[in-house]
Amino acid sequence: MRVGVVGATGQVGTVMRAVLAQRAFPADEVRFFASPRSVGRRLPWAGAAGAAGDSAFGGELVVEDARTAPDAGLDVALISIGAAASRDLAPRLAASGAVVIDNSSAWRMDPQVPLV
């Protein structure tokens, strides 16, 4: 399973990363995405292997541009970005085949989107 954390450098994204690692989430690949200003940052990751063979245990993953996430071949996308950005990105991720779990307020009142 390929998992992406979109908004990985924010406060909620940081907690998402920590919970995935603490629970040893069974991902074959984990990728971190954020805004262009965070692209290239290296974030610690002690979970499953990341893209391009990054070290899985005690290693780091490089933050990628969130705008490229729909092309990443993700199975699951955990999103914590602003509502406006989510309205653009979440449908594209879903169209690419990912199960999208969005933390923003963008979809809260949409009767077609289940709350979990």
Side-chain angles (χ1 to χ4, degrees), residues 35 61 84:
S35 66
L61 296 179

Side-chain angles (χ1 to χ4, degrees), residues 1 3 16-32 43-51 53-61:
M1 179 183 331
V3 177
M16 286 178 178
R17 291 187 289 115
V19 170
L20 288 172
Q22 287 168 356
R23 297 188 180 187
F25 190 82
D28 299 313
E29 180 181 335
V30 174
R31 293 170 75 176
F32 299 150
L43 298 175
W45 177 245
D54 286 335
S55 175
F57 301 97
E60 297 176 324
L61 296 179

Side-chain angles (χ1 to χ4, degrees), residues 86 90-91 100-102 104 106-116:
S86 179
V100 178
I101 301 170
D102 187 315
S104 79
W107 311 103
R108 287 186 186 150
M109 300 305 289
D110 188 326
Q112 300 299 313
V113 178
L115 286 176
V116 293

